[in-house]
């Protein structure tokens, strides 16, 4: 299916809509948009033009121009994704929402914040915190990722155990459809039984159904107290097995994170600082929060007792800044060691994590490859970094699919899925075809065909509607 070309005339029309300054065609300006956080050259591709609209009206006009001329569009937020979801695989126009970065309103009475999609998660959190309120979404890339990208990918993050993922925070969205129409779905209300819940189709759709231009997010009261605990184990199975015991004790942590020993040692190198028990330790990081110091102290004592019964080498109240700096450095530490690596993002039932990590470690030995594990053991989400190291690109491309095949056969045998929070994008689209239930896949194709009949809104990502490839 041949799509329309981005001609000189189209570029001039784009400049009329957003201003000449915000239409990029030079290679030096296009290059940062040729990839997201996936640094494998296989997933890099330049668009023909990048456009930076500043308002919903401008987004609508840009989209309508592309729609009328059958031009492929790729919505893009901060580019912090890990699935090549915002890369112009088939060329066309990247529509970046980075200039749409304002908070529209903090409605304290209704406990809602209304924001444009280009504001960073951290900036939004800081703004509502100053009002004594709390936004629970917390991806590890919160300092740089955009709220619009969080919604488009249904970002998870560290606080999902207690508060849920991004989907659970969204009350409403404004969307520009693939034909350029604008629609608001949801709003400042918490219940809605008015027809199909179309809003939830767009959350997690990775820019394949439209462009999110405004978001209504749920707020809660800012917790008065919080505490971060670090439990160190020399046995990873015993470490991860602590999680259900804590939850069955009547404690609902904000988050329960884990890092295996190889990850801890790699972070040490990256940060150039010694971490506790890094010789043999595996980390479980538990954050608890509430409005009573006495309650938190009681919970801390229970967690300490449960951890030591499970074989913990040490349990301590962690230095908040240091422990989260270490956990959030996991990705960058591996990238420093190997610029090309594959982060797999599996999700399995919480109780299956120890078995999954055990078998994954055997795969590392089988293929003689470094594989580091960390993630959110409170919700079954495991990140596996497979490092290329000094292999040639040819050796890497031959080896990686074999490892992935074994990992995903294992994951599905345990009742899991391809991705817990990073999404499918282009990187995992082929894996979707291989592992997803055919009926479920066909339902997704039907949705895509209905909402994007020309297949020009971020094509080739998540699902393919047919075997034809859009080309420029």
């Amino acid at each position: 299916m041949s799509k329309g070309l981005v001609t000189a005339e189209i570029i001039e029309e784009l400049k009329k809509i957003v201003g000449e300054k915000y239409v990029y065609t030079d290679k030096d300006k296009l290059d940062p948009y040729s990839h997201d956080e996936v640094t494998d050259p296989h997933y890099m591709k330049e668009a023909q033009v990048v456009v930076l609209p500043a308002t919903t009206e401008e987004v609508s006009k840009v989209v309508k121009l592309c729609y009328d001329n059958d031009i492929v569009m790729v919505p893009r937020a901060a580019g912090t994704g890990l699935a090549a979801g915002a890369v112009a695989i088939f060329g066309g126009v990247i529509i970046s929402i980075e200039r749409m970065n304002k908070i529209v309103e903090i409605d304290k009475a209704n406990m809602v914040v209304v924001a444009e999609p280009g504001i960073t998660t951290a900036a939004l959190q800081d703004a509502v915190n100053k009002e004594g309120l709390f936004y629970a979404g917390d991806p590890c890339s919160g300092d740089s990722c955009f709220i619009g990208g969080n919604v488009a990918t249904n970002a998870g993050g560290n606080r999902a155990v207690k508060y849920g993922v991004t989907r659970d925070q969204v009350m409403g969205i404004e969307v520009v459809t693939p034909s350029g129409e604008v629609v608001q779905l949801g709003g400042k209300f918490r219940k809605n039984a008015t027809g199909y819940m179309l809003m939830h189709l767009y959350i997690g759709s990775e820019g394949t159904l439209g462009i999110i231009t405004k978001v209504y997010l749920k707020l809660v009261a800012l917790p008065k107290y919080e505490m971060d605990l670090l439990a160190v184990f020399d046995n990873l199975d015993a470490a991860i097995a602590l999680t259900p015991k804590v939850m069955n004790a009547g404690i609902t942590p904000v988050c329960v994170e884990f890092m295996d020993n190889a990850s801890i040692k790699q972070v040490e190198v990256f940060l150039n600082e010694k971490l506790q028990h890094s010789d043999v330790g595996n980390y479980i990081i538990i954050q608890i929060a509430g409005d009573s110091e006495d309650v938190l102290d009681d919970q801390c004592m229970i967690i300490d007792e449960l951890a030591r019964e499970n074989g913990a080498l040490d349990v301590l109240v962690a230095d908040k800044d240091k422990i989260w700096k270490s956990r959030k450095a996991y990705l960058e530490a591996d990238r420093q060691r190997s610029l090309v690596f594959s982060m797999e993002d599996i999700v399995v039932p919480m109780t299956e994590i120890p078995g999954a990590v055990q078998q994954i470690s055997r795969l590392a030995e089988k293929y003689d490859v470094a594989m580091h594990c960390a993630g959110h053991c409170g919700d079954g989400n495991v990140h596996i970094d497979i490092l290329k190291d000094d292999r040639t690109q040819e050796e890497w491309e031959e080896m990686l699919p074999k490892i992935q095949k074994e990992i995903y056969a294992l994951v599905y045998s345990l009742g899991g899925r391809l991705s817990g929070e990073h999404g499918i994008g282009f990187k995992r689209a082929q894996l979707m075809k291989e592992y997803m239930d055919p009926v479920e896949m066909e339902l997704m194709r039907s949705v895509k065909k209905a909402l994007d009949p020309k297949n020009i809104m971020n094509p080739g990502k998540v699902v393919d509607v047919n075997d034809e490839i859009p080309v420029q």
Side-chain angles (χ1 to χ4, degrees):
M1 154 175 31
S2 179
K3 297 298 180 184
L5 296 174
V6 181
T7 63
E9 289 77 17
I10 292 293
I11 291 173
E12 288 305 311
E13 289 299 316
L14 292 171
K15 290 177 179 178
K16 290 178 184 177
I17 295 170
V18 303
E20 184 172 356
K21 180 179 178 181
Y22 301 111
V23 177
Y24 299 163
T25 55
D26 295 340
K27 181 173 175 53
D28 60 335
K29 287 192 173 183
L30 293 177
D31 185 64
Y33 298 86
S34 66
H35 59 88
D36 58 7
E37 290 296 310
V38 179
T39 46
D40 188 328
H42 181 72
Y43 299 108
M44 298 181 181
K45 179 70 183 291
E46 279 187 2
Q48 290 166 285
V49 59
V50 174
V51 182
L52 284 65
T55 65
T56 299
E57 181 182 11
E58 288 184 358
V59 173
S60 176
K61 287 180 178 179
V62 169
V63 170
K64 190 171 190 316
L65 177 66
C66 292
Y67 180 83
D68 289 344
N69 290 276
D70 292 344
I71 295 170
V72 167
M73 298 169 271
V74 179
R76 185 178 174 98
T80 57
L82 290 158
V87 180
I89 299 298
F90 303 120
V93 177
I94 284 181
I95 303 173
S96 171
I97 47 84
E98 62 197 82
R99 294 175 64 209
M100 303 175 69
N101 57 6
K102 301 179 184 63
I103 290 181
V104 178
E105 178 187 10
I106 299 175
D107 184 342
K108 295 181 70 172
N110 285 306
M111 305 284 279
V112 180
V113 58
V114 185
E116 293 181 337
I119 188 170
T120 65
T121 308
L124 184 138
Q125 288 170 332
D126 289 344
V128 300
N129 286 357
K130 290 173 183 176
E131 301 294 330
L133 299 170
F134 180 70
Y135 171 65
D138 189 39
C140 283
S141 57
D143 289 344
S144 53
C145 64
F146 293 168
I147 284 292
N150 292 178
V151 177
T153 59
N154 189 30
N158 302 322
R159 296 174 180 154
V161 178
K162 183 169 185 175
Y163 296 104
V165 295
T166 299
R167 182 184 303 279
D168 301 299
Q169 322 307 325
V170 180
M171 298 172 66
I173 55 175
E174 178 184 79
V175 177
V176 176
T177 72
S179 62
E181 296 177 294
V182 181
V183 61
Q184 181 170 315
L185 305 169
K188 292 185 179 182
F189 38 85
R190 303 201 174 209
K191 295 175 72 175
N192 186 5
T194 313
Y196 300 139
M197 293 298 100
L198 297 176
M199 176 179 78
H200 290 286
L201 282 177
Y202 289 94
I203 301 171
S205 66
E206 302 184 43
T208 61
L209 304 179
I211 302 177
I212 296 166
T213 51
K214 191 181 295 180
V215 186
Y216 296 71
L217 297 167
K218 177 172 64 178
L219 302 175
V220 296
L222 186 66
K224 292 180 180 178
Y225 306 101
E226 64 180 28
M227 184 182 297
D228 296 277
L229 304 176
L230 174 62
V232 184
F233 294 78
D234 59 3
N235 182 290
L236 185 58
D237 290 356
I240 295 172
L242 174 64
T243 305
K245 293 185 178 182
V246 169
M247 294 183 174
N248 287 330
I251 299 170
T252 303
V254 174
C255 59
V256 185
E257 301 288 297
F258 81 94
M259 296 175 68
D260 69 5
N261 185 251
S263 300
I264 294 165
K265 288 178 177 176
Q266 194 63 49
V267 168
E268 263 192 333
V269 173
F270 176 70
L271 296 178
N272 193 30
E273 61 181 79
K274 181 70 176 173
L275 300 179
Q276 290 160 307
H277 298 287
S278 61
D279 49 346
V280 295
N282 300 278
Y283 286 179
I284 295 292
I285 306 164
I286 301 177
Q287 184 178 91
I288 51 179
D291 295 330
S292 166
E293 281 188 293
D294 290 340
V295 171
L296 292 195
D297 286 341
D298 290 344
Q299 291 182 352
C300 179
M301 292 176 62
I302 293 170
I303 293 169
D304 182 288
E305 182 178 343
L306 291 171
R308 295 185 188 280
E309 286 176 357
N310 234 44
L313 300 174
D314 198 2
V315 184
L316 58 151
V317 176
D319 179 317
K320 178 182 176 66
D321 293 336
K322 185 172 182 178
I323 195 62
W324 285 111
K325 180 183 178 183
S326 301
R327 169 63 184 91
K328 293 186 177 186
Y330 165 72
L331 179 64
E332 291 305 316
D334 280 343
R335 180 175 284 117
Q336 182 189 60
R337 170 172 164 174
S338 178
L339 184 60
V340 175
F341 68 97
S342 182
M343 176 183 268
E344 307 305 322
D345 174 48
I346 65 169
V347 61
V348 295
M350 182 175 62
T351 54
E352 301 291 353
I353 292 179
V357 172
Q358 260 188 9
Q359 294 190 59
I360 287 163
S361 67
R362 294 193 191 106
L363 288 177
E365 295 175 5
K366 175 179 176 180
Y367 289 94
D368 189 25
V369 63
M371 295 171 66
H372 299 165
C373 292
H376 319 292
C377 55
D379 52 31
N381 189 192
V382 181
H383 302 315
I384 311 154
D385 281 2
I386 309 169
L387 279 63
K388 175 176 175 285
D389 283 339
D390 57 358
R391 287 176 172 81
T392 66
Q393 186 67 20
E394 291 74 20
E395 290 171 337
W396 170 248
E397 291 180 3
E398 180 183 355
M399 178 187 68
L400 182 59
K402 294 176 183 177
I403 297 175
Q404 288 176 323
K405 184 174 182 178
E406 294 204 44
I407 288 175
Y408 290 119
L410 166 65
V411 166
Y412 274 76
S413 74
L414 296 175
R417 291 295 182 269
L418 291 175
S419 176
E421 62 183 7
H422 294 163
I424 302 302
F426 179 69
K427 179 181 174 182
R428 298 187 181 90
Q430 184 60 41
L431 292 168
M432 281 273 283
K433 293 179 183 178
E434 294 179 30
Y435 290 100
M436 178 166 278
D437 182 314
V439 176
E440 186 177 5
M441 178 67 83
E442 190 53 40
L443 288 171
M444 289 190 183
R445 287 195 183 104
S446 298
V447 170
K448 172 69 171 171
K449 289 176 182 178
L451 297 184
D452 181 20
K454 290 189 175 186
N455 191 26
I456 57 176
M457 184 63 75
N458 214 9
K461 317 295 173 56
V462 187
V463 295
D464 287 327
V465 297
N466 51 45
D467 294 328
E468 297 174 328
I469 298 175
V471 294
Q472 284 284 333

